[in-house]
Amino acid sequence: MKLTKQHQLYESDHTLFIKALKAANPAIEEGQREGRALLWDKAPITLTEQDRTSESRVKQQAYVYQNKL
């Protein structure tokens, strides 16, 4: 589907706001990268660590809120 030239030049209010915010504070993107690295970029886990972690897990009963009688 081809858009007309009028639609190709359109930028939403949100896009304009983000562009203005990034122009006013260029350090935002670096802060986003640091935050992503902090939460998501983890060091690889070795197989022995993975086995130890899976063996040390406590098994949970099927329905957590039901007491054993």
Side-chain angles (χ1 to χ4, degrees):
M1 179 171 128
K2 267 195 152 183
L3 298 175
T4 62
K5 283 187 179 182
Q6 182 181 9
H7 285 25
Q8 289 175 349
L9 299 176
Y10 173 76
E11 290 186 338
S12 69
D13 291 338
H14 298 289
T15 303
L16 295 174
F17 171 74
I18 296 296
K19 283 185 178 182
L21 185 65
K22 287 182 178 181
N25 189 358
I28 287 178
E29 287 189 39
E30 183 60 33
Q32 287 177 327
R33 283 190 206 98
E34 289 174 5
R36 180 187 183 279
L38 181 67
L39 295 174
W40 296 102
D41 298 340
K42 304 286 183 189
I45 299 174
T46 63
L47 290 176
T48 55
E49 289 175 351
Q50 199 173 25
D51 289 340
R52 186 178 59 84
T53 306
S54 64
E55 289 173 1
S56 66
R57 282 206 174 104
V58 177
K59 291 192 176 186
Q60 192 175 25
Q61 59 184 0
Y63 186 68
V64 184
Y65 301 106
Q66 183 178 3
N67 295 332
K68 291 184 178 180
L69 298 176

